[in-house]
Amino acid sequence: MAAVLLDALVLLQREGSSGAAEVRNWIAGSGRANLFSFTNVCEALGLDPSYLARGLMERPRIAPRRVRLVRRRISIGGRRRSAG
């Protein structure tokens, strides 16, 4: 059950993808008819499904960390060149 929820969270991060849309539909779908419904998965893990659904549907997308590359100037034979 934890793996199902983790996979849904990963797909949800890919905003605009078909996987993210599918996860949003899975979360919005109510009921316990399916063993792996959002409600059943949350309850099996001891989580409040309505609280988690509200947080996942309203939260802003987590921005990936930005990596800043540093360019250094080095001298080779009296000429300055960029390395990096």
Side-chain angles (χ1 to χ4, degrees):
M1 294 292 189
V4 171
L5 187 57
L6 179 60
D7 186 50
L9 295 175
V10 169
L11 289 173
L12 199 56
Q13 290 299 304
R14 297 179 182 145
E15 202 63 45
S17 70
S18 60
E22 188 176 320
V23 170
R24 288 191 182 281
N25 290 335
W26 177 65
I27 292 170
S30 61
R32 300 169 190 250
N34 184 353
L35 176 64
F36 291 103
S37 70
F38 180 74
T39 302
N40 286 341
V41 168
C42 288
E43 289 182 353
L45 296 171
L47 303 171
D48 180 7
S50 62
Y51 178 79
L52 185 58
R54 192 169 51 249
L56 291 174
M57 299 299 262
E58 294 175 1
R59 66 146 182 62
R61 186 172 182 270
I62 298 170
R65 292 184 183 173
R66 295 179 187 234
V67 177
R68 186 171 163 223
L69 299 176
V70 177
R71 298 197 83 158
R72 294 188 178 127
R73 299 225 174 233
I74 58 172
S75 290
I76 301 175
R79 293 181 151 184
R80 298 192 86 180
R81 298 178 188 243
S82 294

